[in-house]
Amino acid sequence: MYFPSRIRAFAAGAALLAASAIAQAQQLPNVVILATGGTIAGAGASAANSATYAAAKVPVDKLIAGLPEISKVANVKGEQTFQIASESFTNDNLLVLARRVSALAKQSDVDGIVVTHGTDTLEETAYFLNLVVRTDKPIVVVGSMRPGTALSADGALNLFDAVNVAASKDAKGKGVLVTMNDEIQSGRDVAKAINIKTEAFKSQWGPLGMIVEGKNYWFRAPVKRHTTQSEFNIDEITALPQVDIAYGYGNVPASTVETIGKGAKAIIHAGTGNGSVADRVVPALQKLRADGVQVIRSSRVNTGGFVLRNAEQPDDKYDWVVAHDLNPQKARILAMVALSKPLSTADLQRVFWEY
């Protein structure tokens, strides 16, 4: 039998615990997770399926519910922005996502933002956000190489790390970040280098830091212009121009460039080595430039591409641009953003040096 004094003590204790929980929640940072689909929201037929699965199946509320540990790191809310595999991402998807990230970043009650994303085009979205969202609040893009149903699934830890980084004051002002495989990568530098391992994302310049048991360890900071230092703003971009990629390879015909360049405002030539262009393709690119299409030389080298101006081609003579160290897909992102404004070739080249 409970006596009145014991009942009062029990009620007081419960109230104290509830008040303590509320106080703790009020002290934690507020992080919003924008879910877009991908493998991190995927499901396989069995636990043995790590590479064969259906992407974009698990809604964001279930992702959050399956990771109760994040409640100790931040007050987390989720929004289902899209539910698609990232190879199907469009320019319109990029614009919608960036506008939502920008709007959240302006809210005083949001301290950080996480975007869950399929890995196939994750690097492109991360770089796009890095260019157009004007905030110093942490924005972290995260995915996984295995669905949550697989043995040794990597999504849960990747997401925990992403929330941890987004909630951290030491991540402020470092641009858009990517957390995969315990590493903190720059959204500008990182690229998917392999499609079957959990350590799939690499940067030729190395990670910015590591996450170990919820603690961030930083080793370098990005020096290229981004976010608050960017001259581009998602609030001013209504549409993205058509920019296409032409791939260089042995025996490549000029018709490849001619076909891809139709209707484009710029064409990224993913050349071999130092952005080399086959002799039979040069006239086709010259014609495109004469017709007003910007020609940007990039390299198809997986990690370590670096294109020097006037090295393989007389870029000054042809009025071409070089992509610096950006891979073709990121060069396309930067060209679209840059050419949303009226820029000369010289200004476009400046943008590629600075961003």
Side-chain angles (χ1 to χ4, degrees), residues 84-347:
I84 55 178
S86 70
E87 67 270 19
S88 297
F89 244 69
T90 65
N91 288 352
D92 287 341
N93 293 143
L94 287 175
L95 293 170
V96 169
L97 177 62
R99 287 173 186 142
R100 184 57 184 145
V101 171
S102 178
L104 287 169
K106 293 172 184 175
Q107 294 183 198
S108 60
D109 61 346
V110 174
D111 299 300
I113 300 159
V114 170
V115 177
T116 64
H117 201 288
T119 58
D120 282 353
T121 59
L122 183 151
E123 66 199 74
E124 297 171 51
T125 296
Y127 188 40
F128 182 73
L129 297 175
N130 198 56
L131 294 170
V132 302
V133 179
R134 296 267 189 91
T135 185
D136 64 354
K137 293 181 180 180
I139 301 170
V140 185
V141 186
V142 64
S144 72
M145 295 305 297
R146 296 171 179 167
T149 52
L151 295 170
S152 299
D154 57 325
L157 182 56
N158 288 347
L159 182 57
F160 176 80
D161 287 346
V163 172
N164 182 74
V165 172
S168 302
K169 292 182 179 179
D170 57 20
K172 188 176 181 180
K174 291 184 171 66
V176 175
L177 305 169
V178 173
T179 58
M180 297 279 292
N181 199 44
D182 299 328
E183 295 179 337
I184 308 171
Q185 298 276 4
S186 165
R188 177 199 184 272
D189 299 340
V190 77
K192 187 175 182 178
I194 192 169
N195 69 332
I196 205 71
K197 296 182 179 180
T198 54
E199 65 270 28
F201 280 76
K202 303 291 183 183
S203 163
Q204 62 175 314
W205 312 123
L208 302 182
M210 296 285 295
I211 311 150
V212 182
E213 295 183 349
K215 181 173 175 56
N216 304 334
Y217 296 88
W218 300 94
F219 302 107
R220 69 179 183 92
V223 297
K224 297 292 187 179
R225 292 176 66 177
H226 60 76
T227 54
T228 55
Q229 299 93 42
S230 178
E231 66 197 82
F232 309 109
N233 188 339
I234 187 59
D235 296 337
E236 301 169 356
I237 299 174
T238 57
L240 294 170
Q242 178 185 337
V243 177
D244 294 323
I245 300 173
Y247 199 79
Y249 55 92
N251 203 48
V252 61
S255 59
T256 301
V257 169
E258 295 164 349
T259 302
I260 290 176
K262 289 182 178 179
K265 195 161 187 179
I267 185 168
I268 311 297
H269 183 269
T272 53
N274 185 16
S276 303
V277 183
D279 53 6
R280 57 196 166 276
V281 175
V282 170
L285 289 176
Q286 287 178 300
K287 185 179 185 306
L288 284 174
R289 185 67 198 101
D291 292 339
V293 179
Q294 289 286 357
V295 174
I296 302 163
R297 289 196 303 115
S298 182
S299 175
R300 73 177 198 181
V301 175
N302 194 20
T303 55
F306 195 106
V307 180
L308 299 175
R309 188 168 179 83
N310 296 314
E312 288 289 341
Q313 294 292 328
D315 298 300
D316 289 345
K317 177 182 177 181
Y318 295 161
D319 198 33
W320 292 355
V321 172
V322 297
H324 195 24
D325 64 326
L326 294 177
N327 63 26
Q329 54 269 34
K330 289 196 174 183
R332 174 183 168 271
I333 293 291
L334 181 53
M336 286 195 303
V337 171
L339 293 174
S340 66
K341 293 184 173 185
L343 293 182
S344 67
T345 305
D347 270 336

